[in-house]
Amino acid sequence: MKEAKPQEIILKGIPASPGITFGKTLLLDREQYVIQRRNIKEDQIQNEIKRFKEALIQTKNEILEIKKRISEEMGVEHAQIFSAHLLVIEDSMLIEEVIAKLKKERLSIEYIFQDVLKKYIKVFSEMDDEYLKERISDINDVGKRVLRNLIGAKEDPLGSVKERVVVVSYDLSPSDTATMHKKNIIGFATDIGSRTSHTAIMAKSLEIPAVVGLEVVTRRVESGNIIIIDGTHGTIVINPTPKTLKRYETDRKRLADIERHLLELKDLPCETLDGRKIKLAANIEVSEDIPSVITHGAEGIGLYRTEYFYMNRKDLPSEEEQFKAYAEVAKRIKPHHVTIRTLDLGGDKFLSQLDVPREMNPFLGWRAIRFCLARPDIFKTQLRAILRASMFGKLRIMYPMISGLEELRQANAILDEVRQELKKDSILFDENVEVGAMIEVPSAALTSDILAKEADFFSIGTNDLIQYALAVDRVNEKIAYLYDPAHPAVLLLIKNVIENGHKAGIWVGMCGEMAGDIAMTIILLGLGLDEFSTSPINTPELKRIIRSVTMEQAAGIAQQALTLSTGREIERFAKRKLKELVPDITIEVE
Ligand code: PEP
Ligand code: MG
């Protein structure tokens, strides 16, 4: 009998990082185990059964141990749930089914086991019986334990990836993404996440096409499926037909042509038609991003997110290590500036080596400058490293998440202490390093007139500013439709910051993702933004737009936009104006 062809499935999610890629999938399960769809030979079957039985025994022992501990500490009734877990693990039907399937399909035992579990979960979830439905979580919990024992918990689940793959996962943390550049990962797709999560931002830096917020992708994909990731439009295609593949291959070539064409602007000045110079800088996360900054023609770095330095390691980076890294970036980017943002731990970025408790609202919690002011030891080490490195190029210091003048003053007082200590030790540093504040909290935007008197520059962090102003969690795909850079409230806050900065005689930049959103470029220009800092890949397109408009036109468009009532109206208006000024721009206008 002829085998049925797998069906083509198209899913729509949130575009996280542009570009088109296709390849074989590698499915990580929810706890990020690599489930290998490995073929096995006849003579390996017994060994796979042995591994399975050992994992079951190990899991049973673990459950018995937990059950005993819970009984002692909390009482027997609380330990009952583990009796239910034991029933799952001792279910002879399940065990027999796994072994029979293994013999028939000859695939790795972890793959088969997961497949059988999925089937059980599906059957139980379709039952009307509430009691049986509740057993789903028992099956899930026990399944995870068995898988962990089969595979062995790995610190870096992507460490063993040997061939070029597209990773499919429920979620990926920023630290997972940070290690991808060393791997064979050509794209990724996740169930959750949003455009401004640090995972998405990291993907853009690595120039890996990615789609997030797909909600069900891990339930539709199996390891080894062929998948297309269209990170530009936020679409993925599982099991594409040859016709679909051909269409995407054509699209991929077309995008590459556009990119090549845009790169021709690389060495042209970034200025408006009437000669107003605009600073076009890039955001980087790791030093591996520097070549991309240079090839895309960005003039310096408007945001160096230093927290990746602290991730994926067991210790904290020493002053010496940081000094070397910052000095290296300063040298490579010279004569342009490098804006080093001090540690912005928290939110969606966690460091395993620091004992920071998980919080209910991490984005509103102990993060960024709040953490650094509470841990001056860590903060001072970084500031010393930056100041020392300032001798090797042009560095700036920028504090994240300043919410009011007191915080800015406290940070500056610590910086002053560091300056005095360096002087005492006769260590040279650039005395004129500019020190700025990120404006990413509405309270800072509203009091930017006060802050401007004690800062050398502002950089608007719209990723956070939007989430705080509109009360929309920036990493939650369910409310991503409310995350609206064009919202009048957001524009008013930005206008206020730029005006207050200029009144005090300081320059104002933007380093949130909105700075790279082409629909918003002309409005931001018209509001008087001095520096745009964005993923390097966005810079050529921004330059093209800025070079196609006069300041007067941009100011008129910004003014008109501010008379409109909703984000949708403003976005539609801005896109229409953009299309008029740059007719061959690729943007969908409603
Ligand atoms: C921002 O909030 O806009 C920003 C640039 O900082 P991050 O995305 O790292 O929070
Ligand atoms: Mg931020």
Side-chain angles (χ1 to χ4, degrees):
M1 206 172 68
K2 226 169 123 189
E3 215 175 286
K5 283 215 182 84
Q7 210 192 342
E8 178 175 280
I9 303 170
I10 301 170
L11 296 178
K12 189 98 189 118
I14 299 170
S17 176
I20 294 173
T21 189
F22 29 91
K24 266 193 196 170
T25 55
L26 175 74
L27 178 65
L28 302 189
D29 97 327
R30 202 168 166 128
E31 287 187 15
Q32 305 208 335
Y33 304 129
V34 177
I35 309 294
Q36 309 240 21
R37 191 180 194 274
R38 189 167 35 84
N39 288 313
I40 56 164
K41 297 201 186 93
E42 169 96 50
D43 61 1
Q44 291 174 310
I45 290 178
Q46 285 314 318
N47 194 42
E48 292 294 276
I49 296 175
K50 186 166 160 263
R51 284 179 58 223
F52 181 47
K53 291 198 167 159
E54 280 169 2
L56 290 177
I57 293 170
Q58 201 180 341
T59 308
K60 184 175 169 183
N61 290 339
E62 282 171 13
I63 296 173
L64 285 170
E65 179 62 32
I66 302 172
K67 191 175 166 211
K68 184 163 160 263
R69 211 181 59 229
I70 300 284
S71 292
E72 283 164 9
E73 289 171 9
M74 299 170 71
V76 192
E77 68 280 11
H78 289 283
Q80 281 317 316
I81 177 169
F82 296 103
S83 303
H85 284 192
L86 285 172
L87 286 181
V88 177
I89 213 157
E90 285 164 350
D91 183 338
S92 55
M93 246 170 66
L94 182 131
I95 298 170
E96 275 164 25
E97 187 171 344
V98 170
I99 294 175
K101 203 168 160 66
L102 171 81
K103 287 181 178 162
K104 185 160 166 253
E105 298 186 9
R106 292 199 202 151
L107 293 166
S108 66
I109 186 70
E110 41 274 56
Y111 186 84
I112 297 279
F113 177 67
Q114 201 205 30
D115 215 36
V116 174
L117 273 190
K118 271 190 193 165
K119 195 188 96 187
Y120 268 62
I121 289 169
K122 186 163 179 287
V123 171
F124 276 52
S125 64
E126 282 162 4
M127 286 181 176
D128 281 338
D129 187 323
E130 279 311 306
Y131 172 80
L132 287 177
K133 267 196 180 153
E134 279 171 25
R135 299 282 68 79
I136 293 176
S137 69
D138 296 336
I139 298 174
N140 252 328
D141 284 359
V142 176
K144 292 274 136 61
R145 280 186 185 281
V146 176
L147 275 177
R148 188 164 52 225
N149 288 329
L150 267 174
I151 298 161
K154 290 201 180 72
E155 272 189 23
D156 175 8
L158 301 174
S160 56
V161 176
K162 298 275 182 318
E163 53 174 351
R164 284 160 63 82
V165 289
V166 173
V167 169
V168 175
S169 170
Y170 174 73
D171 187 21
L172 285 168
S173 71
S175 58
D176 294 329
T177 342
T179 62
M180 282 188 175
H181 62 269
K182 295 180 204 137
K183 312 280 162 56
N184 286 316
I185 291 153
I186 55 170
F188 68 81
T190 58
D191 284 343
I192 69 165
S194 71
R195 206 187 284 259
T196 55
S197 64
H198 283 100
T199 301
I201 291 170
M202 194 70 195
K204 243 191 251 177
S205 294
L206 298 171
E207 298 174 34
I208 296 177
V211 180
V212 298
L214 285 152
E215 293 185 0
V216 293
V217 61
T218 53
R219 277 183 269 149
R220 299 295 176 84
V221 158
E222 287 178 15
S223 274
N225 283 160
I226 298 295
I227 191 171
I228 298 173
I229 304 282
D230 177 354
T232 304
H233 299 100
T235 309
I236 66 157
V237 188
I238 306 161
N239 302 324
T241 61
K243 199 169 148 208
T244 309
L245 263 175
K246 205 164 157 208
R247 182 160 53 82
Y248 274 95
E249 179 57 33
T250 313
D251 277 0
R252 190 159 69 116
K253 286 201 182 116
R254 193 177 47 81
L255 284 179
D257 282 349
I258 295 176
E259 161 99 357
R260 212 170 308 117
H261 189 59
L262 281 170
L263 281 176
E264 288 165 10
L265 299 174
K266 174 177 163 294
D267 299 318
L268 295 176
C270 181
E271 60 185 20
T272 57
L273 282 176
D274 51 340
R276 164 89 191 271
K277 294 244 178 321
I278 302 294
K279 217 18 183 246
L280 192 51
N283 295 350
I284 66 164
E285 275 72 49
V286 286
S287 61
E288 282 83 356
D289 299 336
I290 297 173
S292 177
V293 174
I294 297 164
T295 54
H296 287 92
E299 294 175 279
I301 290 169
L303 167 64
Y304 180 0
R305 287 185 169 94
T306 54
E307 36 294 346
Y308 290 92
F309 218 105
Y310 296 71
M311 285 179 178
N312 298 317
R313 53 190 293 162
K314 295 204 164 63
D315 55 351
L316 287 166
S318 67
E319 176 185 325
E320 203 52 32
E321 202 179 334
Q322 292 189 66
F323 158 70
K324 283 196 186 127
Y326 303 150
E328 176 70 16
V329 180
K331 276 189 236 167
R332 288 170 72 183
I333 297 295
K334 212 158 89 176
H336 300 299
H337 275 98
V338 178
T339 312
I340 303 193
R341 184 192 47 202
T342 57
L343 178 62
D344 185 3
L345 155 82
D348 59 349
K349 286 172 293 193
F350 300 101
L351 310 184
S352 49
Q353 72 273 41
L354 290 171
D355 201 12
V356 179
R358 291 259 163 169
E359 298 176 335
M360 286 286 282
N361 292 304
F363 275 110
L364 298 179
W366 200 41
R367 67 171 284 213
I369 198 69
R370 300 165 181 188
F371 172 83
C372 284
L373 293 177
R375 288 293 305 265
D377 51 331
I378 295 175
F379 193 32
K380 276 180 148 182
T381 304
Q382 184 174 37
L383 292 174
R384 269 179 77 96
I386 302 172
L387 283 179
R388 283 175 56 200
S390 66
M391 293 304 288
F392 296 86
K394 285 185 175 174
L395 293 188
R396 291 182 178 131
I397 294 174
M398 178 160 86
Y399 306 129
M401 224 193 154
I402 292 290
S403 64
L405 186 60
E406 273 167 4
E407 264 172 348
L408 179 59
R409 284 188 174 157
Q410 282 172 42
N412 276 335
I414 293 178
L415 180 62
D416 264 341
E417 273 176 41
V418 173
R419 286 197 186 103
Q420 297 316 321
E421 284 165 18
L422 287 174
K423 278 187 187 160
K424 212 168 98 219
D425 297 341
S426 308
I427 297 174
L428 293 176
F429 61 92
D430 176 1
E431 304 250 7
N432 297 315
V433 165
E434 283 184 300
V435 183
M438 280 191 79
I439 304 294
E440 44 186 352
V441 181
S443 59
L446 292 169
T447 55
S448 47
D449 53 339
I450 301 170
L451 293 170
K453 294 189 186 119
E454 300 189 27
D456 295 327
F457 66 92
F458 285 155
S459 184
I460 308 174
T462 49
N463 304 337
D464 280 314
L465 184 64
I466 296 169
Q467 78 162 340
Y468 298 135
L470 305 182
V472 179
D473 183 342
R474 67 188 265 190
V475 297
N476 186 338
E477 72 288 351
K478 296 212 169 49
I479 46 168
Y481 69 98
L482 288 172
Y483 190 94
D484 183 6
H487 194 294
V490 174
L491 296 188
L492 284 174
L493 288 170
I494 292 171
K495 178 172 180 276
N496 198 49
V497 176
I498 298 175
E499 281 177 2
N500 283 332
H502 288 175
K503 262 188 227 151
I506 65 171
W507 62 268
V508 181
M510 178 179 286
C511 59
E513 290 301 290
M514 185 172 173
D517 179 349
I518 57 170
M520 291 294 121
T521 312
I522 298 178
I523 293 180
L524 295 174
L525 194 61
L527 291 176
L529 195 70
D530 302 295
E531 176 181 290
F532 291 68
S533 190
T534 174
S535 300
I537 49 172
N538 292 333
T539 51
E541 183 98 90
L542 287 191
K543 191 186 277 186
R544 176 155 79 128
I545 297 169
I546 291 167
R547 288 177 57 84
S548 311
V549 61
T550 64
M551 278 311 288
E552 200 186 333
Q553 282 171 324
I557 290 170
Q559 235 174 25
Q560 241 182 303
L562 285 169
T563 64
L564 302 173
S565 314
T566 68
R568 185 125 186 249
E569 282 171 28
I570 293 175
E571 192 187 331
R572 204 182 309 142
F573 166 75
K575 284 182 173 172
R576 240 191 15 247
K577 289 289 169 194
L578 174 60
K579 196 83 189 166
E580 275 169 36
L581 289 160
V582 194
D584 59 343
I585 195 117
T586 320
I587 195 163
E588 279 160 33
V589 182
E590 276 179 53

